[in-house]
Amino acid sequence: CFETMELDWRKMHYAFLSHEHTDHFLGMIWVIRYVAFLMCEGKYEGTFHVLGHEEVLEKARMVCQALLRRQEREMIGSRILLEAVEHLQEKQICGSSFRFFDIASTKAKQFGFQMRWPDGRKLVFPGDEPPSENTMELCRDADWLLSEAYCLYEEREIHTPYRYHHSTVREASETAERFHVKNLVLWHTEDATYGERKRRYTEEAGRYYRGNVWVPDDGEVILL
């Protein structure tokens, strides 16, 4: 993906690991491994920070210790820093303020974050579940809300989103409308509608939400 999009690994110095589910967790293992490889080759300057809650980072450390080469493992703790964050902890990263929070998932411990730019704009990533009652207020008046929307509301019986603690486009849009979100990014979707997903998701969202809707394809860049 990085090569396809012509992104420079050497410019990436921070990453966030929300939880242990394989569609999130295993990708981060590959990222850590490749950054460690670049460091061993003398092609990466500085440190690489992976942030997440303590449990998921400990599992990432265990997997890396089991799978990475000795030279790559030695980078963990010296130049690759696995930094645990706690519920409602705040950190300054690259000039912006981050507030991390436990989304109270019942599937696996999972964190999200609220990011504030110096100019006051706010982006919220509430994880890959609908915002819970104790995190909804963090989404209020967000300039950008990154919301999972597993399928269209009319196809909920086909894709069974509630079985996996996911929501539909309609419900994500209603949440964004309720909390006065300016830009809604719908992600973590099913793939069956890929060719028509952007159009169909945007149409459904527009019936329940008056802000801007973004349904990105893989590799698509959204300028914030």
Side-chain angles (χ1 to χ4, degrees), residues 25 72 86 111 123 140 143-144 149 153 181:
F25 184 86
E72 295 166 345
E86 298 180 354
F111 270 35
L123 177 149
R140 184 178 296 279
D143 293 276
W144 294 88
Y153 184 76
V181 171

Side-chain angles (χ1 to χ4, degrees), residues 15-190:
F16 176 72
L17 180 56
S18 58
H19 61 299
E20 66 188 40
H21 291 167
T22 54
D23 55 334
H24 300 261
F25 184 86
L26 294 181
M28 186 63 75
I29 300 301
W30 166 251
V31 170
I32 292 172
R33 182 263 162 187
Y34 192 66
V35 170
F37 167 77
L38 291 176
M39 289 176 172
C40 292
E41 294 292 307
K43 297 178 180 179
Y44 186 102
E45 296 183 1
T47 55
F48 179 54
H49 305 256
V50 181
L51 294 94
H53 62 78
E54 185 173 3
E55 292 177 22
V56 74
L57 292 184
E58 181 56 31
K59 291 178 180 180
R61 182 179 289 105
M62 291 172 59
V63 173
C64 289
Q65 289 296 327
L67 299 181
L68 271 58
R69 296 181 303 153
R70 179 183 58 80
Q71 299 96 318
E72 295 166 345
R73 295 196 303 268
E74 290 174 350
M75 296 298 170
I76 298 176
S78 57
R79 296 182 61 194
I80 297 178
L81 307 180
L82 307 184
E83 300 181 1
V85 295
E86 298 180 354
H87 180 55
L88 299 182
Q89 180 180 346
E90 296 189 9
K91 290 180 71 73
Q92 291 292 319
I93 301 173
C94 298
S96 295
S97 175
F98 284 76
R99 189 180 192 188
F100 300 92
F101 54 86
D102 190 331
I103 75 167
S105 173
T106 59
K107 294 187 299 181
K109 187 172 183 179
Q110 182 175 170
F111 270 35
F113 64 82
Q114 179 194 85
M115 170 187 172
R116 285 187 179 272
W117 281 277
D119 62 8
R121 290 182 300 141
K122 180 170 66 175
L123 177 149
V124 181
F125 168 69
D128 72 351
E129 296 184 17
S132 59
E133 288 299 322
N134 66 328
T135 60
M136 278 189 173
E137 281 300 316
L138 294 167
C139 301
R140 184 178 296 279
D141 299 320
D143 293 276
W144 294 88
L145 176 64
L146 313 183
S147 177
E148 60 82 32
Y150 195 67
C151 66
L152 297 165
Y153 184 76
E154 65 191 55
E155 295 184 350
R156 63 194 184 283
E157 298 299 328
I158 299 173
H159 299 292
T160 62
Y162 311 130
R163 178 181 178 185
Y164 307 105
H165 296 204
H166 293 315
S167 65
T168 66
V169 173
R170 172 179 174 174
E171 290 149 344
S173 302
E174 288 174 337
T175 296
E177 180 69 19
R178 174 184 173 189
F179 288 96
H180 311 292
V181 171
K182 297 181 179 64
N183 295 277
L184 174 64
V185 181
L186 300 177
W187 72 290
H188 207 287
T189 68
E190 46 74 29

